[in-house]
Amino acid sequence: MKKIIYIFVSSALMLGSASCNDELNLRSTTQFIPEDIWGNENAADGYVIASYQTFADHSNFNVDGNKFYDAFSDIAKSTSWDQYEHMYNKSWMLSNTFGKNSAGPFNCWETEYGRIKRANRLLNEIDEYGVPRYGEDWCDIRRAEVRFCRAISYFFLARVYGGVVLRTDKSGITGSLDDGKYEEDVHRARVTEKETYDFIIDEMNQAIEKLPKTWSGHEQYKEKYVGRATKGMVYGFLSRIALYAASVDGITEQQKKEYYDIVIDAADKCKELGGYDLVKVSANIASPTDKDYIDNFASLFNCKNDGANRKEIIFATYYKKDIKTHEYDIKMRPFGDSKIERMGKVNARIVPTAELTDMFEYKDGTTFDWNDPFWTFFHEDPYCDREPRFHATILYDGSDWEGRKIGTYKGSGINDGDDFFLEYTNNSSTNGHTPTGYYFRKFLMEGEEISTSNKSYNTEIILRYAEVLLNKAEALAQNGDIPGALDALNLVRRRVNLPDKTATHAPDLNAFMKILRNERCCELAGEGLRFWDLRRWNIARETIDGKNVHGHLVTKTAGGIRTYTTVDADGGSKRMYQERYHRFSLPADELNNNHLCKDNPGW
């Protein structure tokens, strides 16, 4: 009897890291007989490419799908209680969001094991159907791609649950596919969290061995598959994942050092084999201005500049105008953009917090502090002289945007600004107004016609070289090389013309880590890493529990004088983050069906 394969993929899904010319042309929810798929090289390759769908499951552009993970941290705020199906605020304000068998909005057990099962089946079938038709070399590369994607699925599981149940194409009781066909395969214990990360790292290293340095170097593929997994790309992800491995509870100092060594080596090989680097202001500009540095950083997040950005973008999801689009612009734009004639109705569902905006330094490298009386003497307002990443990431009262000035101010005897502040209250919504005084600029496409029928096609960046450098800086510091760590960190700062941090600023590890954590926020804000960083640093509870996020209420008098007041943006509620949230509870189905699988402590 012939096996039937069910492939659940969007007919226009863009390859997770593919060029804008590469589409997955498989029909949705369609049955295939293996011989039919493997009998056609394009269909077989599409079957492999669909493995990258695991990245789409965690798309940062899925604002209404609880995947804008920064909004679970201190640097971003959902503007609603549960409108748009958001769980961002409720997660920390309701004690019953997480409980036995519920990881709440972070639940990914069923989804990722679905991806893993599919990957295992594909790896099993490629031996039977792929090798005879396309040869070992062709299949070796495809196996490596699938193993890379399967490792990423296991990583998504590990960061939520810790240790996992390892199921592979070779772990079945017969030494083959582990698909539950045999009773012995149904019941399998979880491995430790360290063993989980060791498996992921080993899988990625084995994938690297078979992946090409560049797809465009393969004459038979030419440019068609530029952007698929390569050696340098996977090393970039390895620099991220090994940092998580180093944070596992209970490992020895020597084991931590070994993981940090992996981070450092992977970061170096990412650059060496992938040729990645930071996008910088053109050397043709003899005397760059502040605006040049601002525009340069902002251009990283606009797909119209993807050609220039490719040396920094390591992995991304690419979209096509009018073909495969998303709604990020519609759901993140400042409220006043709805008054622009070419726009449809837009509103901001997630906005930056004061905790984020206050992290950005002045352009001369000095720390911003509302309690410092001198900013009122030396600066026109609290925003004008901030570093380039602030202006490229945040829309604030007075920002130049879409040919107008952003106005978040509340009037005092005059009208409110077009983007005016509206206080957040639990069990309600601001209907797209900012409750913090700020909006995100990063990833918005200025000048585009945006509406519910004309959606955005901007590129979603999943990994870029700036993060790899910051990963390396952290690992070097943790291994005792603070001078080397400062060198890596300062490369990121110099790109936006910020002065170097020196040994005076970072005389020890604690001082350096404070700088590093701030730098990661300013560089990577809105890219989905902050919440997971807090967890691996083991400071999520101290950052979230019993705390509020804040905003800055701007008021404007009839004479144009503005005042700035720090306000609570959480509706007066204190957030809750319990110790047991460090690892969430597993689903009931897994625990009931797999008698060897045990839940995490505390649940």
Side-chain angles (χ1 to χ4, degrees):
M1 179 179 179
K2 292 183 178 180
K3 292 179 290 183
I4 302 294
I5 298 173
Y6 294 83
I7 300 180
F8 300 90
V9 292
S10 167
S11 61
L13 174 70
M14 308 309 293
L15 171 63
S17 60
S19 68
C20 289
N21 296 318
D22 194 10
E23 282 187 55
L24 186 59
N25 294 313
L26 294 178
R27 290 170 294 167
S28 178
T29 318
T30 305
Q31 300 181 21
F32 292 94
I33 297 171
E35 292 91 334
D36 293 337
I37 292 181
W38 294 106
N40 178 286
E41 183 174 353
N42 285 334
D45 220 24
Y47 187 22
V48 172
I49 292 170
S51 299
Y52 291 88
Q53 177 70 17
T54 190
F55 289 97
D57 295 334
H58 299 268
S59 172
N60 199 51
F61 280 2
N62 187 8
V63 175
D64 288 354
N66 292 305
K67 303 304 181 186
F68 193 91
Y69 291 119
D70 280 358
F72 289 110
S73 76
D74 55 336
I75 67 170
K77 168 74 179 177
S78 167
T79 60
S80 80
W81 176 246
D82 58 6
Q83 193 174 344
Y84 326 123
E85 300 181 359
H86 280 194
M87 286 292 293
Y88 301 109
N89 292 311
K90 296 171 73 171
S91 293
W92 311 132
M93 295 179 187
L94 294 179
S95 59
N96 64 352
T97 300
F98 306 103
K100 180 69 175 175
N101 308 133
S102 175
F106 305 115
N107 178 47
C108 61
W109 190 274
E110 297 89 347
T111 300
E112 296 310 330
Y113 274 107
R115 299 289 177 207
I116 290 164
K117 184 176 182 178
R118 181 189 178 281
N120 291 341
R121 184 187 298 120
L122 195 160
L123 290 169
N124 184 263
E125 289 176 354
I126 201 169
D127 294 335
E128 182 178 356
Y129 301 103
V131 173
R133 291 176 172 86
Y134 311 118
E136 280 290 351
D137 289 345
W138 189 96
C139 291
D140 276 347
I141 296 174
R142 272 66 182 182
R143 286 192 195 98
E145 286 186 273
V146 176
R147 292 182 75 171
F148 161 62
C149 293
R150 183 177 67 181
I152 293 295
S153 287
Y154 274 117
F155 168 64
F156 287 146
L157 286 166
R159 69 182 186 179
V160 174
Y161 302 101
V164 303
V165 178
L166 288 178
R167 299 187 183 278
T168 74
D169 57 307
K170 304 296 183 187
S171 66
I173 193 68
T174 63
S176 185
L177 187 63
D178 185 355
D179 60 358
K181 180 178 180 181
Y182 299 96
E183 185 69 14
E184 294 91 336
D185 291 335
V186 173
H187 307 293
R188 195 175 298 280
R190 297 168 66 190
V191 299
T192 67
E193 188 170 1
K194 181 184 185 304
E195 289 169 332
T196 299
Y197 278 107
D198 287 344
F199 170 80
I200 294 168
I201 291 169
D202 183 63
E203 282 289 286
M204 297 184 84
N205 279 323
Q206 291 195 49
I208 287 167
E209 288 182 13
K210 299 297 184 180
L211 286 169
K213 184 177 179 180
T214 171
W215 284 80
S216 60
H218 289 242
E219 181 59 28
Q220 67 269 43
Y221 307 126
K222 298 185 183 296
E223 295 298 317
K224 183 178 180 182
Y225 299 131
V226 171
R228 286 167 71 164
T230 61
K231 294 180 185 295
M233 178 190 298
V234 178
Y235 271 124
F237 277 102
L238 192 54
S239 79
R240 175 191 289 180
I241 289 170
L243 276 182
Y244 285 78
S247 71
V248 170
D249 293 339
I251 63 173
T252 67
E253 290 303 313
Q254 178 59 33
Q255 289 168 333
K256 288 182 181 180
K257 181 183 184 305
E258 290 168 358
Y259 287 130
Y260 289 132
D261 285 341
I262 292 172
V263 175
I264 297 163
D265 179 68
D268 289 342
K269 287 179 177 172
C270 174
K271 180 176 178 60
E272 174 190 346
L273 297 173
Y276 301 110
D277 205 349
L278 299 175
V279 173
K280 301 174 184 176
V281 173
S282 172
N284 297 326
I285 302 176
S287 301
T289 65
D290 292 340
K291 187 175 185 301
D292 291 321
Y293 286 102
I294 294 167
D295 289 347
N296 170 254
F297 187 75
S299 73
L300 256 174
F301 310 99
N302 189 323
C303 65
K304 293 181 179 179
N305 304 295
D306 272 350
N309 294 340
R310 284 194 185 277
K311 72 175 183 177
E312 179 162 345
I313 297 176
I314 297 173
F315 196 87
T317 301
Y318 295 89
Y319 295 82
K320 277 187 176 182
K321 188 174 185 178
D322 301 325
I323 297 176
K324 179 60 182 176
T325 57
H326 55 80
E327 297 183 336
Y328 186 87
D329 260 274
I330 300 170
K331 297 175 179 178
M332 295 292 283
R333 277 185 170 260
F335 189 85
D337 279 5
S338 292
K339 293 186 176 182
I340 299 174
E341 184 175 350
R342 70 173 189 279
M343 292 285 177
K345 180 174 175 55
V346 301
N347 56 52
R349 314 230 169 144
I350 297 173
V351 296
T353 64
E355 280 73 13
L356 172 61
T357 60
D358 289 354
M359 292 183 188
F360 291 93
E361 301 168 356
Y362 285 115
K363 63 185 179 183
D364 64 2
T366 57
T367 301
F368 175 80
D369 184 353
W370 286 98
N371 295 318
D372 181 355
F374 292 103
W375 76 257
T376 58
F377 290 100
F378 297 108
H379 306 284
E380 180 180 344
D381 61 44
Y383 309 124
C384 63
D385 289 327
R386 299 288 195 93
E387 58 122 316
R389 292 174 301 189
F390 175 82
H391 298 283
T393 303
I394 308 294
L395 290 172
Y396 53 90
D397 186 70
S399 288
D400 291 317
W401 177 251
E402 292 285 10
R404 65 187 184 91
K405 292 283 187 183
I406 292 289
T408 65
Y409 60 85
K410 295 289 289 182
S412 177
I414 58 173
N415 293 330
D416 297 331
D418 287 341
D419 314 278
F420 66 88
F421 174 103
L422 195 62
E423 183 180 1
Y424 171 84
T425 58
N426 288 333
N427 301 310
S428 186
S429 168
T430 66
N431 292 318
H433 288 276
T434 175
T436 66
Y438 304 102
Y439 297 91
F440 274 109
R441 177 182 174 185
K442 186 183 278 190
F443 289 118
L444 297 185
M445 296 178 67
E446 189 173 9
E448 286 290 301
E449 180 180 338
I450 300 295
S451 66
T452 53
S453 59
N454 192 56
K455 299 175 184 178
S456 182
Y457 58 97
N458 205 4
T459 298
E460 179 184 4
I461 299 174
I462 296 169
L463 176 69
R464 57 189 177 92
Y465 188 62
E467 183 204 333
V468 171
L469 283 172
L470 293 174
N471 295 342
K472 179 182 178 181
E474 183 174 345
L476 284 166
Q478 292 289 349
N479 271 356
D481 184 3
I482 292 180
L486 286 168
D487 287 343
L489 181 139
N490 285 329
L491 289 173
V492 177
R493 290 176 61 82
R494 290 172 198 160
R495 186 256 290 280
V496 289
N497 204 34
L498 279 171
D500 286 358
K501 294 293 185 181
T502 67
T504 302
H505 302 104
D508 55 36
L509 177 60
N510 287 337
F512 178 83
M513 285 302 297
K514 183 178 180 180
I515 293 169
L516 183 280
R517 289 167 181 163
N518 196 88
E519 198 69 31
R520 284 183 71 92
C521 272
C522 295
E523 178 70 29
L524 304 171
E527 297 180 51
L529 297 175
R530 173 65 172 177
F531 174 68
W532 305 108
D533 280 345
L534 293 175
R535 282 168 67 82
R536 68 178 179 81
W537 289 327
N538 202 24
I539 61 172
R541 189 176 187 192
E542 69 181 73
T543 304
I544 297 172
D545 190 51
K547 307 289 176 56
N548 300 116
V549 296
H550 298 85
H552 294 127
L553 171 62
V554 183
T555 56
K556 179 181 176 182
T557 68
I561 298 175
R562 283 174 165 82
T563 58
Y564 305 87
T565 306
T566 300
V567 295
D568 165 42
D570 274 340
S573 299
K574 295 294 184 183
R575 299 184 171 200
M576 298 176 288
Y577 191 96
Q578 301 176 26
E579 186 66 34
R580 62 180 181 167
Y581 290 177
H582 187 57
R583 294 292 178 264
F584 292 108
S585 179
L586 275 62
D589 283 351
E590 182 68 29
L591 297 174
N592 291 335
N593 297 331
N594 179 358
H595 299 161
L596 296 179
C597 185
K598 305 300 180 185
D599 207 353
N600 281 318
W603 300 102

